[in-house]
Amino acid sequence: MIVLQATRVKKSYDGVDVLRGASLTVRAGDKIGLVGPNGAGKSTLMRILTGEEAPDEGEVYVRSGAEIGYVAQFIGRGDDMRVYDFVAEAKRPVQQLERDLRELEARMSDPALYEDEARFAELAHLYEESTRRFEAMGGYQWETDVRRVLAGLHFPREMYDLPVSALSGGQRTRLALARLLAARPDVLLLDEPTNYLDMDTLAWLEDFLSHGEMSLVVISHDRYFLDRVTRLTVALEDGETRTYPGPYHVYLEMRAAEREEMWRRYEAQQDEIARMEAFIERNIARASTHRRAQSRRRMLERMERIERPPADDPSLWMRFGVRRTSGEDVLEVRDLAIGFGGQALARNISFRVQRGMRLAILGQNGAGKTTLLRTLVGELRPIGGWFRFGHGVDLGYYAQEDGGLPRDARVIDVVWNAYPDLDHTSVRKLLAQFLFRGEDVFKPVGALSGGEQSRLRLCLLMQSGANVLIMDEPTNHLDIPSKEALEAALADYDGTVIFVSHDRYFIDKLATHVAVLRPDGIEWYLGNYTDYLEKLMENDRLQRIEGGGDEPENARGDEEVAGEPPARRRIRTSEARKLEAEIARWEDAAHRLEREMERVAKEQSEAAMAQEVERLRDLDALYRRLEADYQHALEQWEAKSLELEEVRKALENWHG
């Protein structure tokens, strides 16, 4: 069933075409990633889908009664409404229906009503219909829904009474997202929803969106997020759209195969044209072969020419070299305490870094990751403990903020002042590698976008020749092609990298070790982000086995229970074991379906693409039906868990 559709949409600004015939179809349950280069018009298409802007041409269809929910990339709101009330306002229709039910109950409790059978029957029917609608709208759990999304997006109970105006910009963005998720619209439109979210919150949001029944269209530069949440990809390029049956990584593979096939066909035709022209030139003047040459010429004139495939957009190019090789031991940290003004954010930090390692430092927002990096590069003094770098270490530092770039200086002067030995041609070539061409090199730094400033700082860092790079959120503000270029450059780098990043795809591609910063020290893991997650799951299983399967009493607070079903809790009852087996069967079936969906997406040909999109949708519908059974089993399992917990408490009270 189609819920939302845009057909051949065109949109121009000041005579510049942004959308030239873009189309997008959203069916019930679709999870769509909208991708394309910066400036391609993705946010414009989103605003047209919501009705915020009207297309110059084309049509937008919304199914009657369907609710469209939208959170823009930039949100500003400041008022005195409480945090909890702001999100609960999304449930206003349910709250009104609940008040109507209470009013009906009060009227039906009047003894005089029973003397008028017709009136009583009318009210009873109205009450039954209202109750049915109330249940269908999730009325009995609307408060739980509100608390769940607040907890999942890191708004604990202590923040419920805060005014919205007291929140930071990032918190307001998260709060607007919480309100939208609580509303549960039929179609959810999200523009860069992962901004301002830490990894725990991202994981929660991914699970919420993946398991939800609502349709989804999302713009994101977070490739890990797109792979986990979406099942279709719509690419917007040159103002037009094309649909690919799979998440982001499948889209990349299919797009690369398409480009390769387009070039193969174009080059094959160019070779054929060259052969025909050579034959004509050799034989046109010969009487014996003149007619054959004329025939070839007519064939050449009638030939339908294949257009030269469009070249990919100019991409960032970089290569990090080192002036000299460092010693084997790069960094040793012992009992380090970090913070500001004598107030420690973290203590007992000890670890060692050896040459060639790529260390990703993870931790919750506010854990002190940036503070740790600033301490290592000498911007902050340690509160306690010590650290030392090894022999021959040359440090290069990429700060999360503007890195001290002079806002009034021109781009070309920033590079020239940093490396005065370079001549003018070398500076221009260097800047061209980072997409500063033509008049762009004369822009003042203050006029650059966030992405342009990031590229300029990477340019300066690359030229430094440092053998140890310390990088704080290096992928911030970079589009996906630039992130991929940075990944490739750092993968080929001969030095050592210590970095902080929220980009899990980037961490997966680059990290050889993961360190998780906590207030009482640092935990060390071998491998990348996926290896780290697997190790966490393995440790969790071992703890549950060693602990007899019971979850520690203080392991979860009320907010966490509301935000995430306690699916890891083991229940020693036969019913619970049956539910666990049902859940395991669902997971096996889901894995098989996912593999089948990916296989179909990879093997389809260009001619069969439309048919395979429908095939993927059929598989996706089956997947969602199985997923609904899985969610039902989880809910039953949780109910049994809570029953067992009540029995345990009653027994404890009885024994007490």
Side-chain angles (χ1 to χ4, degrees):
M1 178 192 302
I2 294 177
V3 186
L4 175 65
Q5 187 173 46
T7 307
R8 296 183 296 278
V9 167
K10 295 183 179 181
K11 187 69 177 180
S12 300
Y13 296 99
D14 298 325
V16 178
D17 292 335
V18 177
L19 302 177
R20 302 173 181 170
S23 298
L24 188 148
T25 299
V26 185
R27 290 175 168 82
D30 275 353
K31 312 288 187 185
I32 298 173
L34 180 59
V35 303
N38 287 350
K42 301 186 294 296
S43 295
T44 299
L45 180 56
M46 278 286 204
R47 291 193 296 271
I48 289 173
L49 291 174
T50 65
E52 188 177 322
E53 290 193 28
D56 297 335
E57 295 183 31
E59 298 178 348
V60 176
Y61 161 80
V62 181
R63 193 192 71 210
S64 177
E67 183 181 354
I68 310 298
Y70 177 53
V71 169
Q73 184 175 358
F74 304 103
I75 294 174
R77 183 183 178 93
D79 57 33
D80 293 328
M81 182 180 287
R82 295 191 317 147
V83 163
Y84 181 86
D85 293 339
F86 180 77
V87 177
E89 196 176 40
K91 295 292 188 178
R92 183 182 295 173
V94 181
Q95 296 174 50
Q96 181 59 52
L97 188 54
E98 187 174 28
R99 287 191 291 269
D100 293 344
L101 284 171
R102 301 292 84 81
E103 182 182 342
L104 283 171
E105 289 169 356
R107 293 168 63 185
M108 292 172 68
S109 65
D110 183 359
L113 180 66
Y114 294 94
E115 298 175 4
D116 186 343
E117 292 185 7
R119 181 58 180 159
F120 177 79
E122 180 184 347
L123 284 180
H125 177 72
L126 179 59
Y127 183 80
E128 182 181 352
E129 288 297 317
S130 298
T131 301
R132 187 178 295 113
R133 283 196 295 127
F134 185 70
E135 291 176 348
M137 295 169 68
Y140 292 112
Q141 62 180 41
W142 75 262
E143 291 181 285
T144 301
D145 288 344
V146 170
R147 289 194 298 269
R148 180 189 178 196
V149 296
L150 281 168
L153 292 172
H154 283 193
F155 289 99
R157 289 184 184 273
E158 306 86 72
M159 297 184 68
Y160 283 7
D161 292 327
L162 287 178
V164 173
S165 57
L167 302 181
S168 68
Q171 288 173 324
R172 287 199 300 271
T173 299
R174 284 193 284 117
L175 191 67
L177 179 59
R179 175 173 168 151
L180 185 60
L181 296 181
R184 294 181 177 270
D186 298 287
V187 182
L188 195 58
L189 305 178
L190 299 177
D191 193 348
E192 294 294 351
T194 62
N195 289 351
Y196 306 106
L197 302 184
D198 61 22
M199 289 186 178
D200 290 341
T201 311
L202 274 174
W204 178 88
L205 179 61
E206 287 165 352
D207 287 339
F208 186 96
L209 296 175
S210 298
H211 296 151
E213 296 180 359
M214 67 188 80
S215 301
L216 172 70
V217 181
V218 59
I219 298 171
S220 179
H221 284 117
D222 188 329
R223 297 157 293 173
Y224 197 96
F225 178 86
L226 290 173
D227 268 348
R228 286 210 58 196
V229 171
T230 65
R231 295 166 193 162
L232 291 171
T233 301
V234 174
L236 178 57
E237 296 182 22
D238 297 322
E240 299 180 350
T241 51
R242 184 160 189 185
T243 300
Y244 295 82
Y248 182 75
H249 76 276
V250 174
Y251 150 73
L252 283 182
E253 295 168 0
M254 294 176 63
R255 183 174 179 271
E258 284 175 6
R259 291 294 176 96
E260 185 177 346
E261 175 63 15
M262 289 168 63
W263 276 104
R264 187 194 65 77
R265 291 168 54 203
Y266 171 76
E267 289 172 350
Q269 187 182 67
Q270 291 299 304
D271 289 343
E272 177 64 18
I273 290 172
R275 284 193 296 270
M276 293 174 72
E277 288 176 340
F279 180 87
I280 294 168
E281 185 177 353
R282 287 195 309 269
N283 294 281
I284 193 69
R286 298 179 182 176
S288 60
T289 56
H290 177 76
R291 293 184 61 185
R292 290 172 58 196
Q294 285 281 45
S295 176
R296 292 290 179 91
R297 176 175 286 173
R298 287 191 294 271
M299 289 174 59
L300 194 58
E301 291 170 351
R302 290 194 299 267
M303 180 182 291
E304 185 175 347
R305 302 292 180 104
I306 298 174
E307 291 187 13
R308 181 184 177 89
D312 290 331
D313 293 332
S315 59
L316 195 66
W317 186 92
M318 66 183 89
R319 183 179 185 278
F320 289 95
V322 299
R323 288 194 303 268
R324 59 175 178 170
T325 303
S326 70
E328 184 67 25
D329 295 322
V330 168
L331 172 64
E332 183 176 7
V333 179
R334 283 288 175 267
D335 299 322
L336 188 66
I338 59 171
F340 302 91
Q343 185 68 35
L345 291 173
R347 298 182 181 274
N348 305 319
I349 303 171
S350 298
F351 62 93
R352 295 180 66 183
V353 177
Q354 295 184 301
R355 187 177 65 220
M357 287 174 55
R358 282 132 171 78
L359 173 63
I361 299 175
L362 310 184
Q364 293 186 344
N365 287 352
K369 303 183 296 294
T370 294
T371 303
L372 174 58
L373 296 191
R374 292 183 63 193
T375 302
L376 293 178
V377 299
E379 288 188 357
L380 297 174
R381 294 177 61 85
I383 293 176
W386 58 271
F387 68 91
R388 64 172 174 235
F389 286 97
H391 174 71
V393 167
D394 298 320
L395 281 182
Y397 178 46
Y398 182 95
Q400 184 176 162
E401 301 303 328
D402 62 11
L405 294 176
R407 295 184 58 82
D408 295 332
R410 300 182 306 172
V411 169
I412 191 170
D413 294 331
V414 169
V415 177
W416 221 337
N417 292 338
Y419 302 103
D421 293 339
L422 296 177
D423 59 34
H424 180 268
T425 301
S426 298
V427 172
R428 293 295 295 262
K429 285 183 178 179
L430 179 61
L431 285 170
Q433 293 175 209
F434 289 83
L435 308 184
F436 293 103
R437 298 185 172 94
E439 295 300 311
D440 289 343
V441 302
F442 302 114
K443 283 184 179 180
V445 170
L448 300 180
S449 67
E452 288 171 327
Q453 289 194 29
S454 295
R455 286 191 270 115
L456 180 57
R457 292 193 287 130
L458 286 172
C459 174
L460 295 171
L461 184 65
M462 186 191 79
Q463 195 64 20
S464 70
N467 54 33
V468 176
L469 300 179
I470 295 182
M471 310 181 80
D472 193 359
E473 298 290 358
T475 62
N476 276 5
H477 307 296
L478 296 181
D479 59 14
I480 290 179
S482 297
K483 290 180 182 181
E484 292 169 347
L486 179 60
E487 287 164 5
L490 292 176
D492 292 336
Y493 176 54
D494 291 332
T496 305
V497 185
I498 302 170
F499 67 100
V500 169
S501 179
H502 283 92
D503 189 328
R504 296 157 297 169
Y505 203 100
F506 181 77
I507 299 170
D508 246 7
K509 288 285 188 179
L510 190 61
T512 60
H513 296 75
V514 169
V516 181
L517 183 62
R518 306 194 188 281
D520 58 349
I522 204 161
E523 295 180 9
W524 193 266
Y525 297 87
L526 179 65
N528 61 9
Y529 185 74
T530 298
D531 298 324
Y532 158 69
L533 290 181
E534 290 176 353
K535 188 64 176 178
L536 285 185
M537 294 173 64
E538 180 184 344
N539 290 344
D540 183 68
R541 286 194 297 268
L542 290 174
Q543 287 176 7
R544 286 192 280 109
I545 292 171
E546 292 171 359
D550 290 325
E551 187 177 28
E553 292 183 7
N554 63 346
R556 290 177 182 265
D558 291 342
E559 282 77 14
E560 289 185 52
V561 173
E564 178 184 350
R568 296 177 180 176
R569 201 176 297 162
R570 293 179 59 86
I571 311 299
R572 298 189 195 91
T573 66
S574 59
E575 284 187 83
R577 283 196 294 271
K578 290 177 183 177
L579 288 170
E580 287 176 353
E582 184 177 340
I583 289 168
R585 285 195 297 273
W586 179 91
E587 289 172 343
D588 289 341
H591 287 315
R592 288 196 299 272
L593 269 176
E594 287 169 348
R595 287 195 295 270
E596 172 68 6
M597 291 165 72
E598 188 165 330
R599 182 192 64 75
V600 170
K602 286 182 177 179
E603 293 181 0
Q604 60 88 52
S605 64
E606 182 177 355
M609 181 173 293
Q611 180 179 348
E612 296 297 2
V613 170
E614 295 302 321
R615 167 71 171 148
L616 261 293
R617 284 203 171 98
D618 292 342
L619 289 172
D620 185 56
L622 176 59
Y623 183 96
R624 282 186 277 109
R625 287 197 297 273
L626 285 171
E627 192 171 46
D629 294 341
Y630 167 76
Q631 290 298 320
H632 180 66
L634 269 182
E635 290 169 3
Q636 289 182 301
W637 191 42
E638 182 177 1
K640 293 299 177 186
S641 167
L642 294 175
E643 288 174 14
L644 188 66
E645 183 68 15
E646 292 298 325
V647 171
R648 184 185 66 78
K649 289 180 179 178
L651 286 172
E652 286 179 353
N653 293 335
W654 184 76
H655 284 301

